[in-house]
Amino acid sequence: MEQKTGKLYLIPTRLGDNPPLEVLPLSIHKVISEIDNFIVENEKTARRFIKSVCPEKPQPSLILNLLNKYTQEDELFSFLDACKKGKNIGLLSEAGCPGIADPGAEIAKIAHRNNIQVVPLVGPSSIILALMASGMNGQSFAFNGYLPIDKGERKSELKRLEKLSQDQNQTQLFIETPYRNNKMLEDLCAVLHPATRVCVACDITLSTEYIKTMPANEWKNATVDLHKRPAIFIIHKD
């Protein structure tokens, strides 16, 4: 009899240190309680998250494969060996949803190529939550990751995204390294058309959550401090 293949579960994590059940459904607990094999970005934070969701789970039973910038491409294929032996595997992101602006997408791609069922679970995505709250077009949008660090290149990219948003009625989202957030907001005010709408969404789902949309020229008078706070920036020119 042919052995049944295990499934790859994409398990969302919190965006901060909230109690798990404030932002995660009970299905996350159920899946984690039944899985011992995980693919994670950081062993320490992954173990802490698993313990917070499922404190009764024995930590020594966990088998963790690390997926980060040091992982060699040829290692990825072996990460799904447990699935081929009939065991389920959980893929954890450091924050939010695996596969969305996250290296986990490569694991999901390999799983599909090997006819392994990929099961996404419900959980918080800072990108989607920010878009939901922005008041901007949620029918057509693009996430652009990090913008160039070089001042001239960044200005050109912002102008390009602004024009794209107007020409295609497409909302443009991007992020910045948290310690450069305040400079990013300054650049948006300096480069964009005064009427272009700008949304800043930071500390999403946390008690310090801040989400605000207003024209670029009005942000010049804003007093918000974004330093070292995880944030999503969104723009749209009507």
Side-chain angles (χ1 to χ4, degrees):
M1 182 181 294
E2 185 177 348
Q3 182 170 293
K4 186 178 179 180
T5 303
K7 301 175 183 178
L8 174 66
Y9 284 92
L10 308 187
I11 304 174
T13 58
R14 301 167 293 180
L15 300 177
D17 288 328
N18 325 52
L21 292 182
E22 281 190 4
V23 291
L24 298 171
L26 287 172
S27 58
I28 300 291
H29 176 276
K30 181 178 185 297
V31 169
I32 288 179
S33 69
E34 297 172 351
I35 290 178
D36 289 328
N37 292 268
F38 293 88
I39 301 170
V40 306
E41 290 184 62
N42 180 286
E43 180 174 350
K44 184 177 179 180
T45 55
R47 286 185 180 276
R48 186 165 64 237
F49 171 71
I50 292 169
K51 186 174 182 178
S52 71
V53 175
C54 204
E56 70 279 9
K57 191 173 188 64
Q59 288 282 323
S61 70
L62 300 179
I63 301 170
L64 305 181
N65 284 303
L66 294 181
L67 175 62
N68 54 38
K69 62 182 180 180
Y70 302 109
T71 307
Q72 298 297 313
E73 187 175 352
D74 56 1
E75 293 181 73
L76 301 181
F77 298 93
S78 66
F79 287 1
L80 295 174
D81 283 349
C83 278
K84 297 173 184 177
K85 297 174 182 177
K87 296 180 180 179
N88 295 330
I89 293 178
L91 173 63
L92 293 175
S93 176
E94 272 293 275
C97 296
I100 307 297
D102 174 88
E106 191 64 26
I107 297 295
K109 181 173 73 173
I110 294 171
H112 284 294
R113 287 179 177 173
N114 287 273
N115 294 315
I116 294 170
Q117 183 179 352
V118 179
V119 183
L121 299 181
V122 175
S125 164
S126 59
I127 297 170
I128 297 301
L129 292 173
L131 178 62
M132 288 168 59
S134 70
M136 300 186 194
N137 187 5
Q139 299 270 11
S140 176
F141 56 91
F143 176 67
N144 299 278
Y146 292 94
L147 301 192
I149 297 177
D150 178 82
K151 187 175 181 179
E153 292 178 2
R154 173 176 291 203
K155 179 179 179 179
S156 297
E157 181 64 3
L158 284 173
K159 282 294 188 182
R160 186 187 74 83
L161 294 177
E162 183 181 46
K163 186 175 187 305
L164 190 61
S165 73
Q166 183 178 42
D167 292 348
Q168 298 189 17
N169 187 26
Q170 184 181 69
T171 303
Q172 302 297 323
L173 302 92
F174 45 90
I175 53 177
E176 178 55 283
T177 303
Y179 69 84
R180 288 202 292 259
N181 279 339
N182 287 333
K183 184 63 172 65
M184 168 62 81
L185 186 55
E186 290 177 11
D187 290 345
L188 295 177
C189 294
V191 173
L192 300 179
H193 186 279
T196 294
R197 286 183 292 155
V198 175
C199 177
V200 174
C202 71
D203 293 346
I204 295 175
T205 73
L206 306 182
S207 61
T208 54
E209 180 178 88
Y210 176 90
I211 303 176
K212 183 74 175 178
T213 297
M214 53 187 178
N217 66 324
E218 293 185 22
W219 277 106
K220 294 179 181 179
N221 300 317
T223 57
V224 61
D225 184 6
L226 305 174
H227 188 58
K228 292 187 177 180
R229 299 170 68 184
I232 303 284
F233 297 91
I234 313 176
I235 65 171
H236 194 291
K237 186 177 183 183
D238 297 316

